Amino acid sequence: CKRIIVKIGTSTIMYANGSINLQRLEKLTFVLSDLKNQGKEVILVSSGAVGVGISRLQLTERPKTIPEQQAVASVGQTELMNLYSKFFFGYGQIIGQVLMTRDIVEFPASRLNAINTFEQLLVKGIIPIVNENDTVAVDELDHLTKFGDNDRLSAIVAEITDADLLIMLSDIDGFYNKNPNDEPDAVLFNEIHTITDDLYALAGGKGSSYGTGGMSTKLVAADHILKKSSQMVLANGEDPTIIFDIIAGKEIGTLFS
Ligand code: ADP
């Protein structure tokens, strides 16, 4: 496949103690840069603005009010892009930030504009780094401005860029018949072809304090991907070089195809 979207969750780029996992972030940028050098087109959808903002501002807990959260996201997004910029620069890559709200893809004019922007970035060999624009997305206008989570956002980015593959990296090896953190005898699904209500029933709550949606938002994303006849792999982001193996076609994580 030529055009690849990689989505990374907050739990993958932050340590449980609330600091940034620089080792993993650096490894991720190395892998994506190498894929670029192999001639692939790469788009990164990265969560983590609020987590990084909390770390940067040395807050002891997640702020409670929405304006506070948005202010923290504003600081965190800048810090996160600063880190990505440094690491990617070290591997000879140029990055471009794309902050999205849901209305952008809902209205035809702005949707087309976004499509053209991604196309231009990729044509120019730039790695787009995408996140929800947390600082302006408004909870009260939920349906209009918010994707709700980056799982869904990454599926929509895959759709509007006509990507060949969405690689979703989480803190778990794939989708199981029950939450393996609670039930050690859980069995991994190697392949899923359709998303059914029975599958949603197997998706438990979120795993970490940082995680947003747990498995159900990943199934929503997979459903979106399957309806567009594309593919998605859900795998563990602990070692980002797993991306090389996924692209090489090794049986890793859960393949939705
Ligand atoms: P991320 O931050 O990567 O988006 P989440 O924390 O939102 O990740 O979701 C991953 C978590 O979902 C896992 O760590 C696990 O605890 C939980 N989970 C619940 N049900 C399942 C299941 N059926 N299969 C795999 N993981 C599950």
Side-chain angles (χ1 to χ4, degrees):
C1 38
K2 175 102 204 309
R3 190 169 283 187
I4 298 145
I5 318 278
V6 174
K7 184 261 168 180
I8 187 137
T10 306
S11 56
T12 305
I13 59 171
M14 305 291 294
Y15 286 113
N17 70 8
S19 338
I20 301 164
N21 190 332
L22 293 171
Q23 192 179 161
R24 203 169 280 160
L25 216 56
E26 160 114 61
K27 221 179 217 179
L28 173 73
T29 60
F30 152 72
V31 171
L32 299 185
S33 300
D34 196 67
L35 290 176
K36 268 291 313 303
N37 289 356
Q38 292 174 25
K40 305 211 183 290
E41 294 173 328
V42 175
I43 297 174
L44 174 63
V45 177
S46 177
S47 305
V50 175
V52 172
I54 289 171
S55 158
R56 185 74 179 88
L57 294 168
Q58 297 182 307
L59 305 179
T60 47
E61 58 179 20
R62 199 185 165 91
K64 293 199 171 51
T65 71
I66 289 167
E68 279 177 303
Q69 284 169 13
Q70 296 189 153
V72 170
S74 167
V75 171
Q77 180 65 25
T78 310
E79 182 74 8
L80 189 61
M81 289 307 289
N82 185 29
L83 285 167
Y84 277 129
S85 182
K86 260 192 223 160
F87 285 138
F88 274 117
F89 181 80
Y91 292 112
Q93 305 300 328
I94 300 174
I95 60 169
Q97 175 179 251
V98 182
L99 294 178
M100 299 194 50
T101 47
R102 190 159 156 183
D103 51 307
I104 291 175
V105 291
E106 301 275 309
F107 295 105
S110 49
R111 183 186 175 95
L112 183 62
N113 205 42
I115 291 172
N116 292 339
T117 303
F118 276 114
E119 207 54 45
Q120 267 310 302
L121 287 167
L122 295 172
V123 162
K124 289 181 164 49
I126 297 164
I127 299 179
I129 303 187
V130 189
N131 196 4
E132 177 155 63
N133 195 349
D134 285 327
T135 53
V136 296
V138 188
D139 253 351
E140 286 70 20
L141 296 173
D142 221 6
H143 58 289
L144 202 60
T145 60
K146 284 205 140 185
F147 293 101
D149 58 84
N150 274 359
D151 295 335
R152 203 172 315 217
L153 171 60
S154 62
I156 288 169
V157 170
E159 178 195 345
I160 67 172
T161 59
D162 201 17
D164 303 299
L165 177 66
L166 168 60
I167 298 177
M168 202 171 280
L169 298 180
S170 185
D171 61 354
I172 195 107
D173 288 342
F175 183 64
Y176 290 79
N177 65 345
K178 47 193 166 184
N179 189 344
N181 291 332
D182 305 332
E183 324 223 23
D185 63 336
V187 180
L188 178 76
F189 287 96
N190 296 118
E191 255 185 68
I192 290 174
H193 303 292
T194 38
I195 308 298
T196 58
D197 286 346
D198 293 347
L199 286 181
Y200 281 114
L202 305 178
K206 65 174 185 174
S208 66
S209 52
Y210 283 116
T212 39
M215 282 299 126
S216 56
T217 54
K218 287 168 184 63
L219 292 180
V220 170
D223 191 35
H224 197 85
I225 289 286
L226 290 175
K227 286 192 171 124
K228 304 290 168 192
S229 308
S230 191
Q231 297 196 327
M232 172 177 137
V233 172
L234 174 64
N236 200 323
E238 195 176 3
D239 178 1
T241 58
I242 197 170
I243 294 171
F244 290 135
D245 296 332
I246 292 169
I247 290 171
K250 291 191 189 156
E251 198 174 276
I252 289 168
T254 304
L255 168 67
F256 299 87
S257 74

